[in-house]
Amino acid sequence: MSPPRVLIYLLRRDLRLADNPIFNEISKTFQQSQHPYTHLLPIYIFAAQQIEVSGFLSADSDRSPFPEARSNVAGFWRCGPHRAKFLAESVWDLKRSLHNTGNGLEIRVGLAGQVIQEILTAYKKQSVEVVAVWMTNEEGVEEKREERNVKEAAEGAGTEFKLWTDEKYYVDDRDIPFRDPAHLPDVFTSFRKQIEPLRESPRRVLPPLSKLPPLPPSIPSQSPPFTIPSTLEDIITKLHKPLDPNLGLSNPPTSPTGATSAHPFHGGETTGQERIRHLVTSGNMSTYKDTRNRMLGLDFSTKLSAWLALGCVTARQIHQYLLNFEEGKTDLGKGVQGYGKGENKGTSAVRFELLWRDYFRLTTRKFGSRLFQISGLKNDTSSSWSYPQKDKEIQRKVTRFMEGTTGTGLIDASMKELFCTGYTSNRARQNVASFLAKHLGIDWRVGAEWYESLLVDYDLSSNWGNWNYVAGVGNDPRETRVFNPVKQANDYDPQGEYIKTWVVELRSLDDPRIVFQPWKMDDATKAVLKVAGQDFVEHPLKRIEYHVGRNAGRGGGRAGGKGGKAGGSRGGAGAGGGYHGRGRGDRPRGQSRKGKLDHANDFIDD
Ligand SMILES: Cc1cc2nc3c(=O)[nH]c(=O)nc-3n(C[C@H](O)[C@H](O)[C@H](O)COP(=O)(O)OP(=O)(O)OC[C@H]3O[C@@H](n4cnc5c(N)ncnc54)[C@H](O)[C@@H]3O)c2cc1C
């Protein structure tokens, strides 16, 4: 038998078998009679700079050689519990799938360059030839450094290195109409127009894999002081171990009875594929345009973001499912509204949003480290942001923001939901980001870092790009845009159902206007609700000037008594006479005294 020739594939955010350019190539070449390599070693590394790995220490007395994986500005854990779990599940799902193909996946912790170097050194000692190290590229300063480090490690050992373009985006890199990232338009609409028609833009998904080479006969083990456990449950436990469950908050939100997660999903390619199929067969792809701005429930939006972020599914796979449905090419979705009838407004809107994701990724490529600077992509040094590090009062505000006790209902509900579940809707995210940056004037990066820590779907470009955008230092052409979270709650949560789900103290209120701004409740109501003395009713961080008119909520929100009666007491629609007339709050839609309000139904768009 000829000696093994090993190919190492370092997996990153490409955690899938299907539509994966590297696995596709490996499978193709393995069919040939002359194999360029005899064995394949897929490796996933929990990257110590981004995920705290001290939970993997072999003994309690061991010390991690790596600094804690905390964020730059506010010092939060960079990968909080929700994403850590989803990521571990995704890695494990791939391990299982690879195992079923006769291969497998090795899990390591550390810094990618070092881990690869150690493996190459160990193989050298055993006289095992490693023919190449392959990995896919990512945007981002750290990600690029990681690529350079792995390249150096490989080439230093005399091994070929190849950086592949992952094909997980909607428009393939080869089809973007410019090569130089500097040519990316600074306004999304201009970019979109270069790409349209969107339905024609994606490439076809890659063919299914046949066979993959086996794992090498010997595999160097994880270097001390770490040990990799052998079950998914243990991996999740180790990832969670260093994280204080309260994440540093003295009054962390707790999941209220009856509040269910909008994102109860497990990570991995298998569940990602199931989710896409569910969206097609339930008709939710077709109704997406009408439901996407909702905030409660499983299916108002696709919830595909976390799978997309880790590359468990690709945007063009989603597109392919949509095409098949629109053209009636498979039975999936047969009988559902829109089946076989071409693109509809729902499927078109999904494509539109997937292009936003591409756009933010290209923005990272264009602007590099400016994405993380307070002056943002615009290099705007004119705003004076408050820095929590320098001021106890600002720190207190940030804590209340994170705990969801600001006194603005929509913001508080979203922050509590985020903490408890790792997810909150796009509508809520826009309001939260605008509230922190524009209403509180606090360093927006603190919010971006809190999201990085907590979001199950955290994605470098989508997160930092959106925060830049909403904070007014990114590529939103409407510079002065400010979201009014009271108006937004009235428009998108007219009965206050979403807010009441997460701000449990408000559940018995029947006046949505008080739910939107609980600090407006009268003393009697505070007493009934047992909230007297609490910050969110006594000391709102912001008293936002917006009065909900008599027809509260387009969906028929009820206007209760001025004091916001609790639990079935007096105060039905219109009772008490609060909020009559066209006062300041009844300005034409989309306008406020200070800056411009967003337009009610807009996408994050042109
Ligand atoms: C302040 C802020 C931070 C955000 N951080 C992230 C993040 O870390 N990761 C992330 O994936 N998205 C982020 N988004 C974008 C968006 O909120 C989420 O993609 C979306 O809410 C995820 O839910 P969904 O999959 O149901 O989205 P859907 O509404 O079903 O959209 C379909 C897909 O399109 C993409 N998409 C939709 N809206 C956007 C957008 N505005 N920007 C980029 N891609 C988009 C996502 O991949 C999403 O899965 C952020 C938005 C804001 C305002």
Side-chain angles (χ1 to χ4, degrees), residues 288 301-305 308 353-354 356-357 360 423 425-426 429-430 433 451 455 457-459 462-463 466-467 604:
Y288 170 79
S301 65
T302 67
K303 309 290 164 53
L304 288 171
S305 48
L308 283 163
E353 294 304 329
L354 290 172
W356 264 107
R357 175 167 169 269
F360 281 123
Y423 185 84
S425 68
N426 183 59
R429 292 181 203 198
Q430 289 177 307
Y451 266 30
L455 279 177
D457 64 14
Y458 168 72
D459 170 272
S462 295
N463 188 58
N466 271 291
W467 272 93
I604 163 168

Side-chain angles (χ1 to χ4, degrees), residues 61-258:
S61 54
D62 288 335
R63 299 289 297 264
S64 173
F66 308 113
E68 287 187 332
R70 288 185 181 274
S71 66
N72 281 340
V73 178
F76 304 138
W77 291 116
R78 292 189 61 186
C79 179
H82 305 295
R83 184 155 53 94
K85 176 171 175 288
F86 195 89
L87 171 61
E89 288 164 350
S90 302
V91 171
W92 203 260
D93 182 61
L94 182 63
K95 186 177 166 74
R96 207 180 292 130
S97 305
L98 280 164
H99 180 78
N100 292 340
T101 70
N103 189 270
L105 177 72
E106 282 295 304
I107 297 172
R108 296 286 178 272
V109 301
L111 301 177
Q114 275 178 19
V115 172
I116 294 298
Q117 190 173 36
E118 285 160 8
I119 291 175
L120 293 175
T121 308
Y123 272 141
K124 197 161 243 164
K125 281 192 191 143
Q126 298 169 24
S127 305
V128 172
E129 183 190 359
V130 179
V131 288
V133 176
W134 287 357
M135 69 197 285
T136 48
N137 67 354
E138 289 286 336
E139 302 303 331
V141 178
E142 282 180 343
E143 284 67 14
K144 292 283 157 219
R145 189 179 309 130
E146 191 169 74
E147 287 159 18
R148 284 195 300 276
N149 292 344
V150 174
K151 181 174 192 282
E152 265 171 42
E155 292 179 350
T159 302
E160 183 199 303
F161 171 80
K162 181 165 175 184
L163 190 63
W164 288 70
T165 300
D166 193 4
E167 298 175 18
K168 66 186 170 196
Y169 288 92
Y170 188 74
V171 182
D172 193 283
D173 258 6
R174 291 162 286 188
D175 302 329
I176 294 167
F178 45 84
R179 291 276 72 80
D180 182 352
H183 294 157
L184 175 74
D186 284 337
V187 175
F188 171 73
T189 312
S190 313
F191 170 66
R192 172 169 57 77
K193 288 187 176 148
Q194 292 181 347
I195 303 293
E196 281 173 341
L198 297 194
R199 193 166 180 262
E200 317 304 322
S201 312
R203 293 198 175 202
R204 295 188 67 75
V205 295
L206 297 168
L209 302 181
S210 29
K211 218 172 162 333
L212 290 173
L215 283 172
S218 76
I219 299 172
S221 43
Q222 166 74 46
S223 320
F226 301 105
T227 307
I228 306 297
S230 55
T231 67
L232 170 62
E233 291 65 35
D234 285 350
I235 289 181
I236 295 174
T237 306
K238 305 261 176 214
L239 288 168
H240 283 177
K241 190 176 168 191
L243 312 177
D244 151 28
N246 297 345
L247 299 179
L249 300 178
S250 27
N251 296 302
T254 50
S255 217
T257 324

Side-chain angles (χ1 to χ4, degrees), residues 269-322:
E269 180 178 18
T270 312
T271 50
Q273 292 287 334
E274 277 165 15
R275 175 73 189 159
I276 307 175
R277 285 197 289 273
H278 163 76
L279 290 165
V280 172
T281 53
S282 61
N284 286 303
M285 289 294 201
S286 300
T287 53
Y288 170 79
K289 174 98 192 273
D290 300 323
T291 59
R292 66 179 291 277
N293 275 307
R294 293 186 191 161
M295 293 184 273
L296 271 178
L298 292 188
D299 291 340
F300 63 83
S301 65
T302 67
K303 309 290 164 53
L304 288 171
S305 48
W307 285 289
L308 283 163
L310 294 178
C312 300
V313 300
T314 66
R316 68 185 181 192
Q317 285 176 324
I318 300 170
H319 165 75
Q320 188 68 51
Y321 274 105
L322 293 180

